[in-house]
Amino acid sequence: MTDASGADLILVGDVYTVDAARSWARAVAVRGDRIVAVGTEEQVRERVGGATEVLTGACIVPGFQDSHIHAAFAGRIRLNVNLDDLHDRQAYLDRIAAFAHAHPDRPWIVGGGWYNPIFGDHGPHRRDLDAVVPDRPVFLMNTDTHAAWVNTKALEFAGIGADTPDPWDGYYVRDPDGMPAGCLQEGAAYTFWARHVPGGSVDDWGAAIAEAQRYLHALGITGYQDAWVEEDLLRAYRAVDDAGELTMRVVTSLWWDRHQGMEQIDGLVERRAWGAGGNVHTNTIKLMLDGCPETCTASMLAPFEGRFGEQHGRGIQFVDAETLIEAAVRLDALGFQLHQHALGDRAVRSALDAVAAAREANGMNDARHHVAHLQLPDPADVARMRDLGVIANIQPYWACPDEMTETLTKPRVGERASRLYPVGDLVRSGAVLAFGSDWPVSTPDPWREIEVAVTRQVVGEPDGEVLRPAQRIDLATAVAAFTGGSAYLNHDDDGGSIHEGARADLVVLDRNPFAADVHEIHTTRTVATLASGRVVYQA
Ligand SMILES: [Zn+2]
């Protein structure tokens, strides 16, 4: 106990501290941006002055940190056409039509959130969009942000036709006559987005950051790692922070451009220097190594199953192993944290080989490199994570037998599905675990994600199938992964747990999820969120 007299605020409830002993307390006192006391209600209250405000809830946990999120991008979609709460082709089209009708002055209709399984193997078609928006280009990212749905006007605008070849890092789904059907995969989608889609100015991004921050604070999130930050977005983070409006602690993963080589490193070092400050931390590089198995763009050690393998082989590796090793060794020597995106087993192996090469060249350090997604690692690579000091950056919401897993993943990977998301094995191996949502790929609500980590079932289907029961983890481990684990990944040694002297990032909840049935975890709601001692959300 330290002196809590003159505390600004006292929070009372079951306090799950996520300290090293996983201890519980009953009250927390906050002064300025710090936690100044943690203990029983009596202990904390007796040290309090008259001006102290008291906030009561059922449970209090550390502020959540999302270790892999596209918050600004998701905010941008929320400010445009957002389809992620719908689950039907016609509902999508109705909303797109209504948005276009309500915004006759916009030269483009932009948005996202459509779900792959709704359109089956072929993906969505431009004709459907042409029927509702015939007069201007439409560009809509899907939920996993690896594909885009465009109309004919958009293809015309970009000059894409039957004789346009596929880019090396993606492809156009095509009609039998060779004309792109309106579904762009991977590099085909990103390049289109970067070159043609308006709305990416520093001001646009600033509005998107503010929208995302508001939404995420309401879910108890007080810090995150933005998994894809290019120059304009970094400028926007800088501007929002300089204006004193960034209450979220943000780590920016500076984007490794796979169309360039080592010559980009000087520019990354410059961005690290001018981007950092206040709530913005810029010491991370994002290397995207592959796509995803659902579209046969993950990088695999063996070909996809049957006809998928005939067409797509072992998938796509965006950064070849040799370049990756050279980049990893150099970036590690410059003190950068590596954030590698790897879903397929070949991508995961390359990611770990790259860190191994960096360790060999530069020795062990505290860079806290991490590999995100880890959908289908080879079992031999699971144990390498701990040995190399690589954090497992997991998106737990995907690890269940949902429509995506059943209708798209399993047919493409066959019996390799028996290796999906080895979260339990990673914990047992001693690897550090951090959790993130990959929003807008999936919900950023930590409690929904945590429930899936605990049950490996689809939320709302308590009697449904369990995806690999041995890979379930307990609630305490899951909460720790989303708080202390992600804070560690984010180099935030002041956050992620509730103890005296820690930064006051706290979430007050309407119930104690430890007291509930595991299938009710997802119903937990935020009563209030504090970031650096400031109330940034109150229900
Ligand atoms: Zn991502």
Side-chain angles (χ1 to χ4, degrees):
M1 291 293 303
T2 53
D3 183 14
S5 60
D8 303 318
L9 182 64
I10 285 193
L11 309 179
V12 179
D14 292 336
V15 181
Y16 188 57
T17 62
V18 196
D19 66 4
R22 300 282 181 267
S23 60
W24 288 86
R26 262 308 285 180
V28 183
V30 173
R31 185 168 57 214
D33 69 344
R34 295 286 134 176
I35 293 170
V36 293
V38 184
T40 64
E41 189 173 347
E42 216 175 21
Q43 284 171 327
V44 173
R45 273 186 191 272
E46 79 185 9
R47 291 158 177 263
V48 160
T52 309
E53 236 186 282
V54 178
L55 194 62
T56 304
C59 188
I60 295 152
V61 295
F64 289 107
Q65 300 210 13
D66 193 306
S67 60
H68 180 114
I69 190 169
H70 303 277
F73 177 77
R76 203 166 144 190
I77 289 182
R78 284 180 59 80
L79 296 172
N80 285 278
V81 181
N82 181 21
L83 305 174
D84 76 359
D85 59 323
L86 304 176
H87 199 79
D88 171 74
R89 180 179 149 279
Q90 193 54 48
Y92 290 164
L93 294 170
D94 290 346
R95 181 167 292 171
I96 296 158
F99 188 92
H101 185 75
H103 299 91
D105 50 321
R106 294 207 186 183
W108 282 69
I109 300 301
V110 179
W114 55 273
Y115 188 55
N116 280 353
I118 287 179
F119 297 99
D121 285 348
H122 199 66
H125 204 280
R126 63 190 151 82
R127 269 193 308 267
D128 287 342
L129 287 178
D130 294 346
V132 292
V133 188
D135 57 330
R136 28 188 172 151
V138 178
F139 181 96
L140 303 161
M141 277 284 189
N142 70 341
T143 51
D144 70 28
T145 68
H146 288 258
W149 179 18
V150 299
N151 65 353
T152 302
K153 276 273 184 228
L155 291 174
E156 285 169 6
F157 183 92
I160 294 166
D163 38 13
T164 306
D166 287 341
W168 68 269
D169 58 350
Y171 63 92
Y172 300 103
V173 177
R174 292 176 193 266
D175 288 335
D177 63 1
M179 181 62 195
C183 182
L184 321 180
Q185 291 290 352
E186 298 292 342
Y190 303 139
T191 304
F192 193 108
W193 163 265
R195 281 200 194 142
H196 306 302
V197 178
S201 72
V202 172
D203 284 350
D204 293 328
W205 280 124
I209 291 165
E211 169 67 12
Q213 176 173 269
R214 188 190 58 72
Y215 189 77
L216 296 173
H217 278 331
L219 295 170
I221 295 166
T222 55
Y224 62 67
Q225 183 157 146
D226 191 316
W228 185 332
V229 176
E230 296 187 74
E231 184 161 351
D232 285 344
L233 178 50
L234 185 60
R235 287 193 192 286
Y237 273 119
R238 208 43 280 131
V240 175
D241 187 63
D242 286 342
E245 285 161 10
L246 193 66
T247 47
M248 189 76 71
R249 185 185 188 278
V250 176
V251 175
T252 59
S253 292
L254 305 178
W255 181 247
W256 177 266
D257 181 354
R258 59 189 180 233
H259 302 280
Q260 292 184 55
M262 303 307 135
E263 71 277 13
Q264 68 187 295
I265 291 177
D266 288 347
L268 293 169
V269 170
E270 279 168 29
R271 276 178 210 178
R272 169 168 69 176
W274 62 252
N279 259 336
V280 184
H281 303 262
T282 54
N283 199 34
T284 302
I285 306 294
K286 168 74 177 296
L287 294 129
M288 185 161 167
L289 304 194
D290 69 344
C292 39
E294 292 74 28
T295 49
C296 299
T297 52
S299 173
M300 304 297 291
L301 291 168
F304 288 100
E305 290 301 294
R307 69 185 172 91
F308 299 109
E310 281 157 31
Q311 209 181 336
H312 298 282
R314 299 196 294 152
I316 305 180
Q317 176 121 357
F318 293 133
V319 185
D320 68 83
E322 210 171 302
T323 305
L324 182 61
I325 283 174
E326 189 182 354
V329 169
R330 291 183 55 178
L331 294 167
D332 177 74
L334 288 163
F336 281 111
Q337 174 185 57
L338 305 178
H339 175 174
Q340 301 187 79
H341 161 125
L343 286 94
D345 46 16
R346 181 162 55 119
V348 174
R349 181 155 299 168
S350 305
L352 295 178
D353 288 348
V355 174
R359 298 302 193 205
E360 175 121 6
N362 307 323
M364 203 66 180
N365 59 23
D366 190 35
R368 306 185 194 180
H369 301 313
H370 52 111
V371 176
H373 309 320
L374 296 163
Q375 186 171 0
L376 279 165
D378 188 89
D381 289 317
V382 169
R384 295 176 73 200
M385 305 281 297
R386 190 203 74 150
D387 294 344
L388 290 165
V390 174
I391 303 164
N393 185 343
I394 297 286
Q395 287 56 59
Y397 198 66
W398 306 347
C400 65
D402 62 5
E403 206 177 340
M404 184 85 86
T405 302
E406 297 303 308
T407 67
L408 296 179
T409 319
K410 287 182 175 175
R412 284 158 182 75
V413 302
E415 62 178 26
R416 286 167 283 184
S418 67
R419 300 201 240 120
L420 279 166
Y421 304 110
V423 182
D425 288 342
L426 284 161
V427 170
R428 286 183 287 272
S429 77
V432 176
L433 198 65
F435 276 177
S437 63
D438 211 358
W439 186 50
V441 176
S442 43
T443 174
D445 182 345
W447 294 111
R448 291 182 77 84
E449 300 164 64
I450 286 170
E451 180 176 313
V452 176
V454 171
T455 64
R456 306 272 293 199
Q457 290 170 298
V458 176
V459 169
E461 297 179 15
D463 301 319
E465 195 198 323
V466 176
L467 183 75
R468 308 187 63 203
Q471 303 306 323
R472 290 179 291 205
I473 60 173
D474 61 55
L475 179 56
T477 305
V479 171
F482 236 132
T483 53
S486 299
Y488 174 78
L489 178 146
N490 283 331
H491 282 274
D492 178 16
D493 296 336
D494 250 3
S497 88
I498 299 175
H499 60 268
E500 290 166 21
R503 199 178 58 249
D505 288 0
L506 298 157
V507 195
V508 182
L509 305 169
D510 71 339
R511 71 200 71 190
N512 182 344
F514 287 87
D517 183 274
V518 292
H519 296 107
E520 299 295 321
I521 293 169
H522 72 277
T523 62
T524 309
R525 292 284 172 273
T526 310
V527 173
T529 306
L530 274 77
S532 296
R534 187 168 144 196
V535 177
V536 291
Y537 170 77
Q538 203 156 6

